[in-house]
């Protein structure tokens, strides 16, 4: 990107058009922000540049807190099961709660964002994560634990959906790099929770309740930048009348008419199935194979940590390709190899399988990138993101639960691993379809 003011102005106009003007409270990145060149516009431009930098900080902090609620539980699942008296089937239900909450609450995100503004909704989401993580270990009983988890996951759900929207709005010409930064921070938070939850629990006295509750602290830190952004209002670049005319001129989008939207939703659902099975059960697979609890947590952390570098690289590569199908296939082949290793020698080649499954799990940042690429406008991205994630998470709900049932009734991991490998084949097929060079506006407008 160049450093000229005119280039930053074009970026501003693009972002305003994408979001439909002042209908939302958060304004796009103006001249002097990351999408344009150095600012020479005086105090107003400096303020806007500062706001844009705060958006970057907010995105990173939010992403860091979108998975510890899940992976910290995965690392201590056996202790939580013993402490609350859960059966294997109930534990499988617990691992299915995240996609259920993401599907139910995620679909509400665009409407909430239109009414209150994306920053306000994300701020509320971070507060819900904080409260849920803080109370769920201490409310008592399985029902209370599920309720606290649902509160935290509600905050994660709305933030999940709105992150691509915020990226598209503030950085319309840097969707790949900013999605990569967001995905990298998400992977870092995911892996950190998996790696340090067990040793941190020991350092806090050995109580699994303290080991889970401590993750409310970084979530509380993420509330701060979003609370500032929620109060921040900037005038839209275009006059309100022009923005309304632009909105009226846009054809109505019926997202369910788009084959690409459906392909992306199924792809998102199948990759989410694999991810939540991995986060919820992989540490237990290694522990049942004779691996110590701390090493099993570290192996899960390695799997999640693979997303740190790859989540930054893959979106950048994906945005440079007209079709993302080849990336989908490579990730799927790595997943199949990892599942084969888990079945044949779970302990003997544990580190290799963790690495391969970590590569396969990078289908998530690829899916987020395709959400931004398969729609031309900010409104289209919001609709596609809500549809693909909500429908996708609905698709993923049975997976972790079915793994728990198969594990309990078969007495081993053969059938669950066969299920995981079997689901990878249709994931690759629909991913190739979702990666075709087309937009939902072309398919779904009337």
């Amino acid at each position: 990107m160049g450093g000229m003011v005119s280039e930053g102005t074009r970026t501003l106009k693009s972002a305003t058009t994408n979001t439909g003007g002042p209908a939302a409270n958060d304004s796009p990145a103006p001249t002097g922000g990351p999408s344009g060149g150095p600012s020479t516009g005086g105090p107003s431009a400096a303020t806007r540049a500062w706001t844009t930098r705060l958006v970057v900080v907010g995105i990173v902090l939010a992403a860091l807190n979108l998975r510890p609620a899940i992976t910290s539980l995965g690392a201590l699942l056996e202790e939580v099961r013993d402490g609350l008296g859960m059966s294997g089937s109930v534990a499988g239900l617990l691992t299915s709660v995240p996609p259920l909450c993401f599907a139910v609450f995620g679909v509400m995100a665009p409407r909430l964002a239109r009414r209150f503004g994306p920053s306000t909704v994300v701020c509320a989401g971070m507060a819900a994560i904080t409260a849920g993580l803080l109370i769920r270990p201490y409310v008592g009983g399985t029902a209370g634990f599920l309720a606290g988890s649902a509160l935290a996951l509600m905050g994660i759900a709305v933030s999940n959906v709105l992150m691509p929207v915020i990226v598209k709005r503030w950085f319309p010409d840097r969707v790949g790099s900013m999605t990569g930064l967001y995905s990298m921070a998400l992977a870092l938070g995911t892996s950190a929770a998996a790696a340090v939850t067990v040793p941190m629990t020991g350092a806090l006295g050995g109580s699994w309740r303290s080991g889970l509750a401590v993750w409310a602290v970084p979530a509380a830190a993420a509330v701060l930048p979003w609370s500032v952004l929620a109060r921040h209002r900037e005038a839209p670049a275009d006059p309100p009348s022009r923005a309304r005319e632009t909105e009226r001129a846009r054809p109505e989008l019926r997202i369910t008419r788009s084959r690409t939207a459906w392909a992306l939703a199924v792809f998102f659902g199948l990759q989410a199935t694999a991810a939540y099975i991995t986060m919820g059960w992989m540490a237990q697979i290694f522990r049942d194979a004779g691996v110590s609890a701390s090493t099993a947590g570290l192996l899960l952390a390695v799997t999640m940590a693979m997303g740190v570098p790859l989540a930054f690289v893959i979106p950048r590569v994906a945005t440079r390709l007209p079709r993302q199908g080849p990336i989908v296939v490579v990730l799927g082949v790595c997943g199949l190899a990892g599942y084969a290793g888990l079945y044949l020698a779970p302990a003997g080649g544990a580190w290799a399988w963790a690495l391969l499954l970590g590569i396969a799990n990078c289908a998530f940042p690829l899916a987020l990138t395709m959400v931004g690429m398969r729609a031309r406008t900010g409104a289209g991205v919001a609709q596609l993101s809500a549809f693909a994630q909500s429908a996708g998470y609905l698709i993923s709900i049975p997976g972790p639960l079915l793994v728990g049932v198969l594990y309990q009734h078969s007495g081993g991991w053969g059938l669950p691993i066969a299920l995981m490998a079997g689901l990878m084949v249709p994931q690759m097929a629909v991913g190739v379809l979702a990666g075709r060079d087309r937009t939902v506006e072309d398919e779904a407008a009337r």
Side-chain angles (χ1 to χ4, degrees):
M1 290 177 293
M4 296 185 294
V5 173
S6 60
E7 190 166 348
T9 303
R10 287 196 298 271
T11 297
L12 172 58
K13 291 181 180 178
S14 172
T16 305
T17 301
N18 285 345
T19 59
N25 291 326
D26 303 72
S27 65
T31 305
S35 300
S39 172
T40 60
S44 177
T47 300
R48 293 174 182 174
W50 177 87
T51 305
T52 306
R53 288 192 290 269
L54 187 62
V55 172
V56 175
V57 173
I59 288 173
V60 171
L61 287 179
L64 286 171
N65 287 281
L66 292 182
R67 293 300 180 269
I70 302 166
T71 51
S72 61
L73 176 60
L76 294 174
L77 184 58
E78 185 171 312
E79 287 76 11
V80 174
R81 286 175 58 188
D82 293 341
L84 298 178
M86 290 183 186
S87 66
S89 297
V90 174
L93 175 63
L94 183 61
T95 58
S96 293
V97 168
L100 174 62
C101 289
F102 293 167
V104 171
F105 297 117
V107 73
M108 300 163 52
R111 180 175 298 179
L112 292 172
R114 286 194 298 270
R115 181 171 180 180
F116 302 105
S119 294
T120 300
V121 177
V122 173
C123 180
M126 294 298 109
I129 296 170
T130 303
L133 291 178
L134 190 60
I135 67 174
R136 74 173 178 175
Y138 300 110
V139 291
T142 300
F145 191 91
L146 286 170
S149 296
L151 177 59
L153 294 167
M154 177 177 64
I156 295 173
V158 295
S159 302
N160 272 338
V161 171
L162 293 180
M163 282 298 112
V165 179
I166 290 171
V167 167
K168 184 79 169 182
R169 166 170 298 170
W170 286 84
F171 310 98
D173 58 346
R174 297 175 60 188
V175 170
S177 60
M178 290 306 300
T179 301
L181 178 64
Y182 155 72
S183 301
M184 185 173 64
L186 189 148
L188 182 60
T190 305
S191 59
V196 307
T197 295
V198 171
M200 187 165 54
T201 299
L204 293 172
S207 170
W208 61 266
R209 300 180 191 274
S210 299
L212 293 181
V214 73
W215 291 104
V217 176
V223 174
L224 299 177
W226 290 106
S227 65
V228 176
L229 291 167
R231 293 193 301 268
H232 180 76
R233 299 290 185 270
E234 287 191 28
D238 290 333
S241 58
R242 179 176 174 183
R244 286 193 294 267
E245 290 172 3
T246 301
E247 186 66 28
R248 284 195 297 266
R250 182 180 297 135
E252 183 181 351
L253 186 62
R254 300 186 65 179
I255 199 72
T256 55
R257 288 186 171 184
S258 169
R259 294 181 179 180
T260 298
W262 279 107
L264 189 53
V266 176
F267 176 68
F268 198 97
L270 292 175
Q271 68 81 27
T273 300
Y276 287 108
I277 289 174
T278 298
M279 287 187 279
W281 290 107
M282 196 180 82
Q284 192 64 49
I285 294 175
F286 286 127
R287 291 179 72 167
D288 287 352
V291 177
S292 68
S294 58
T295 302
L298 189 58
L299 286 164
L300 178 59
V302 167
T303 299
M304 300 298 108
M306 289 301 298
V308 176
L310 292 180
F312 190 72
V313 173
I314 288 176
R316 295 171 68 90
V317 174
T319 54
R320 286 166 170 77
L321 297 176
R323 297 172 179 262
Q324 290 72 50
I327 304 177
V328 171
V329 172
V330 170
L331 298 180
V333 169
C334 289
L336 290 173
Y339 291 136
L342 278 182
Y343 179 80
L344 296 172
W351 295 102
W353 319 142
L355 289 171
L356 286 170
L357 291 175
I359 296 172
N361 275 346
C362 287
F364 174 72
L366 177 60
L368 288 182
T369 305
M370 287 196 288
V371 166
M373 296 179 68
R374 298 286 88 88
R376 288 194 300 270
T377 66
V381 171
Q383 282 188 260
L384 180 58
S385 180
F387 175 75
Q389 294 199 45
S390 296
Y393 284 126
L394 278 175
I395 292 169
S396 71
I397 289 171
L401 176 60
L402 186 56
V403 166
V405 172
L406 290 175
Y407 171 58
Q408 180 170 335
H409 290 281
S410 68
W413 288 105
L415 286 177
I417 291 173
L419 172 67
M420 300 177 210
L423 292 175
M424 188 59 69
V425 177
Q427 177 181 320
M428 294 164 67
V430 295
V432 171
L433 293 178
R436 294 175 298 174
D437 186 14
R438 58 194 62 192
T439 64
V440 294
E441 284 89 353
D442 294 333
E443 297 177 338
R446 70 172 186 178

